[in-house]
Amino acid sequence: MTLYSDDDPTLQEHGRERIAPPRRVVIGWVAIGVAIVLALVLALVPAPFVIEQPGPVFNTLGTDEQVGAKPSGDAKELISISGKKTYPTSGSLDLLTVSVVGNPEQRPSWLEIAGAWFQPSKAVLPLETVFPPGTTTEQSNAENAALMVDSQQDAIAAALNQLGYTFPENVAVKQLIKDTPASSVLKVGDEITTVNGETITSIDALREAVKKNGTGKPAELGIVRDGAGSTVSITPIESQGQVVLGIGAGMDYTFPFDVKIQLNNVGGPSAGQMFALGIMDKLTPDTLTGGKRIAGTGTIDNAGEIGPIGGIRQKMYAARDTGDASYFLAPASNCDEVTGHIPSGLHVFAVKTLADSLKVLKAVRNGSSTSGLPTCPAR
């Protein structure tokens, strides 16, 4: 019995008999072909994700050039103060950034996503968590730039308040949300001075007062418009689980001297804490760092309250990889992301206020024990 006839053209070549390749060889070549196709798909097909990774590091006591970069020759002081005596500083107060790989117009490939999964210094996030639906890269950059400007002003206010300076601080209407109770009553630029008789001096105080009032009755707001004071009534509404007036509020400050922060191409509010510490160090005779390199992150308001930020794991790796930064100031509200993810060699302290951070810096520069200072709890 034969499986192939001698005159089968597939088995003959120039009079010679051809032997059919073994089945396992055929399967092997098919597998290789499938792998090549899969590799091309992974390399070329965009994924609905973005990658967060450690970004540049900047010393708030130094220049606007990133730490470790080759000097360009046209560097500027990151924090400059005029109209007030300043003092020499030492060491470093590093602010940390996160770089995002991918955007709505240019998403990373599946191959890049797969590689990021296995690197603890990187995080893979759904595209819509970083760029909400309908938001372009340009719009996102503009929003982050505005947040950076606001955070710089809040940081200046926090530092000067901590040092005992007094200056006008007003909560103001920066934006009106269409078809909300406030849109027909308030105007952009109005100062909000009270809510139901309670003095309002910060955004958090405004939020708490509106929440306390609730949605069932009007809130009585004291406002100042074009220099004239008046009282208006607005009934708050619920939006995404929050009690709101329907405004975007911000702070207006009149500082007693000029503080300028020079940092381009970095957005978001997360540098607030380190800006505030850098300003304080320049305005006080004694160095805050004791010559040591200290890194940190966190939003800050004019009262010195430090708030949570995104990408803290990537920022911890950025601090460690800078070289000699072994101390890290993290917002206490980020502890759930810190615990279990601290790179070796980094001492992380959990801080809630600017005063907490100053206690850490005092212990570090004096060489005192830091065992009693707050840290994120272990799991």
Side-chain angles (χ1 to χ4, degrees):
M1 177 178 179
T2 60
L3 296 177
Y4 302 97
S5 65
D6 290 341
D7 59 353
D8 188 335
T10 64
L11 300 180
Q12 296 184 30
E13 182 180 358
H14 302 297
R16 292 185 178 183
E17 183 177 4
R18 291 181 59 192
I19 305 300
R23 180 180 178 84
R24 64 178 178 275
V25 174
V26 174
I27 293 175
W29 281 108
V30 170
I32 291 173
V34 171
I36 292 173
V37 172
L38 182 59
L40 288 173
V41 170
L42 289 174
L44 300 176
V45 175
F49 298 95
V50 295
I51 301 168
E52 285 188 341
Q53 61 187 22
V57 177
F58 299 89
N59 175 16
T60 60
L61 301 178
T63 70
D64 58 348
E65 293 183 328
Q66 68 185 66
V67 173
K70 183 179 179 180
S72 64
D74 59 353
K76 303 178 183 65
E77 275 191 288
L78 197 151
I79 298 173
S80 57
I81 300 172
S82 57
K84 190 67 178 179
K85 181 177 175 59
T86 58
Y87 300 88
T89 60
S90 64
S92 182
L93 288 169
D94 291 342
L95 71 84
L96 309 158
T97 68
V98 173
S99 296
V100 177
V101 178
N103 55 57
E105 293 80 29
Q106 189 173 2
R107 294 176 288 167
S109 69
W110 283 102
L111 193 61
E112 292 174 294
I113 295 297
W117 275 113
F118 299 99
Q119 298 187 52
S121 64
K122 297 184 179 182
V124 176
L125 302 175
L127 179 68
E128 62 270 15
T129 63
V130 180
F131 299 91
T135 302
T136 65
T137 304
E138 184 179 357
Q139 290 170 331
S140 178
N141 290 341
E143 180 180 352
N144 283 326
L147 289 171
M148 170 60 83
V149 171
D150 289 343
S151 76
Q152 292 174 355
Q153 295 299 297
D154 290 339
I156 296 168
L160 298 191
N161 278 323
Q162 186 70 37
L163 292 173
Y165 292 95
T166 58
F167 50 92
E169 304 177 71
N170 303 304
V171 177
V173 178
K174 302 294 185 178
Q175 180 185 14
L176 290 170
I177 310 302
K178 187 178 179 180
D179 298 327
T180 61
S183 62
S184 60
V185 179
L186 298 176
K187 291 184 177 181
V188 172
D190 286 348
E191 296 176 9
I192 300 176
T193 57
T194 63
V195 174
N196 296 329
E198 179 182 344
T199 301
I200 301 300
T201 58
S202 70
I203 306 300
D204 283 343
L206 175 62
R207 291 194 187 105
E208 288 301 314
V210 172
K211 179 181 178 181
K212 181 180 178 181
N213 182 89
T215 59
K217 61 179 180 179
E220 301 296 318
L221 273 65
I223 67 170
V224 175
R225 178 182 298 168
D226 299 327
S230 63
T231 301
V232 298
S233 295
I234 302 175
T235 302
I237 59 174
E238 185 173 338
S239 176
Q240 299 180 348
Q242 304 291 322
V243 181
V244 300
L245 295 172
I247 65 171
M251 297 297 300
D252 283 340
Y253 306 109
T254 304
F255 297 122
F257 47 86
D258 185 46
V259 180
K260 184 178 180 181
I261 298 175
Q262 175 72 40
L263 186 61
N264 297 323
N265 302 319
V266 176
S270 64
Q273 173 181 198
M274 302 312 291
F275 284 146
L277 290 172
I279 293 165
M280 291 187 66
D281 204 353
K282 293 198 167 203
L283 288 172
T284 51
D286 297 326
T287 174
L288 291 184
T289 68
K292 296 181 173 63
R293 167 158 255 130
I294 298 168
T297 186
T299 65
I300 200 165
D301 66 11
N302 59 318
E305 298 289 331
I306 296 171
I309 52 86
I312 193 164
R313 296 183 192 177
Q314 289 69 53
K315 291 178 179 180
M316 288 191 293
Y317 278 95
R320 185 202 65 177
D321 295 342
T322 298
D324 55 354
S326 58
Y327 303 99
F328 187 94
L329 302 173
S333 43
N334 276 121
C335 274
D336 58 334
E337 300 174 78
V338 170
T339 300
H341 300 282
I342 300 175
S344 60
L346 197 66
H347 297 84
V348 178
F349 300 95
V351 294
K352 296 180 179 179
T353 65
L354 194 55
D356 290 342
S357 300
L358 292 171
K359 289 179 183 178
V360 173
L361 295 183
K362 182 178 180 180
V364 169
R365 71 173 177 269
N366 292 339
S368 306
S369 172
T370 59
S371 58
L373 297 173
T375 59
C376 292
R379 287 178 177 172

